[in-house]
Amino acid sequence: MSSRPYDPRPARHRPTPVPSPAPSPAPAPSASWAPPAPAYVTLAGADWLASAARVPHEVHALWADDPMAPVVLPCGTVFDVIDAPALFGRRILARLWSPGGPGSGPVAAHRGRLLLFAAPGTAQRLPALLAWEEWGRRDRTAPPLLCYGTGDAVTVPPLYPSPEGSEPTPAVARWLIAPEVRHPRLPGADALLWACVRAARATTLPITMGG
């Protein structure tokens, strides 16, 4: 159990959470980009995630009982999710956080994949934009990307990382950049296209589907 107990009270009664340090832009795009730490969900971030559910208070009740519980949430209204192999996903993040880049929203890791939370509607627009760029041609090291939007659902990680010293569970997702505010700024299709194309152009080695 986490040392940060989850508080299920309505947001208007909650104290303002202490913000985590803002992510520092990467000095140069690189596959070795590392996210800021610690990656745990604030109370405001939990409100944002729960708002995607049909009955948000049921999600809050689940987390109040067990903050380490993963939850399945629908996409399409509060967020979409772009799913990339881990290595290529980190290259996308390096571009998003490069000087002059737009930054990213929350990001999770799960089973060798990176889940980039994006603005609603991104899952519908991005595939067409990538097709225009001839994404995935044989002469490119650009892996297929999975786009989850309306009608899809994703498993979001627990609110907090596993306690130190506990046995990690490979199947459990974890936050690389956790939700911290009630209305996070999410990249849209154009920003992700920009980052994906530049990540692919900078790639000199083939990327396997496992990341």
Side-chain angles (χ1 to χ4, degrees), residues 11 19 26 30 51 55 59 84 95 107 142 159 197 202:
S30 158
S51 70
V55 186
V59 177
R95 292 289 165 172
V107 179
L159 298 182
V197 169

Side-chain angles (χ1 to χ4, degrees), residues 6-209:
Y6 177 70
D7 183 351
R9 293 174 296 170
R12 62 178 178 275
H13 297 312
R14 294 176 183 161
T16 302
V18 177
S20 299
S24 301
S30 158
S32 62
W33 175 88
Y40 62 88
V41 180
T42 65
L43 298 178
D47 276 342
W48 174 70
L49 286 171
S51 70
R54 185 175 62 86
V55 186
H57 73 80
E58 291 183 354
V59 177
H60 281 296
L62 174 62
W63 280 331
D65 182 62
D66 182 7
M68 301 302 296
V71 175
V72 178
L73 294 176
C75 302
T77 55
V78 174
F79 54 76
D80 284 357
V81 171
I82 305 304
D83 180 331
L87 179 56
F88 192 76
R90 286 180 177 270
R91 289 172 177 159
I92 294 173
L93 282 178
R95 292 289 165 172
L96 290 171
W97 286 109
S98 63
S104 75
V107 179
H110 183 54
R111 293 183 176 177
R113 311 281 298 185
L114 249 61
L115 307 180
L116 293 91
F117 286 68
T122 300
Q124 181 178 6
R125 290 191 62 222
L126 185 59
L129 295 176
L130 291 173
W132 180 263
E133 292 287 338
E134 298 184 314
W135 190 259
R137 292 186 315 180
R138 290 187 178 183
D139 59 341
R140 276 193 176 180
T141 52
L145 303 179
L146 305 178
C147 300
Y148 301 121
T150 302
D152 300 317
V154 294
T155 300
V156 301
L159 298 182
Y160 310 129
S162 299
E164 292 185 9
S166 64
E167 288 294 327
T169 305
V172 173
R174 61 189 177 90
W175 291 108
L176 296 183
I177 302 178
E180 295 182 342
V181 296
R182 186 62 179 78
H183 299 287
R185 185 175 65 180
L186 301 174
D190 293 331
L192 286 169
L193 175 69
W194 176 88
C196 287
V197 169
R198 280 156 182 77
R201 288 174 180 170
T203 301
T204 57
L205 296 175
I207 301 174
T208 64
M209 288 302 295

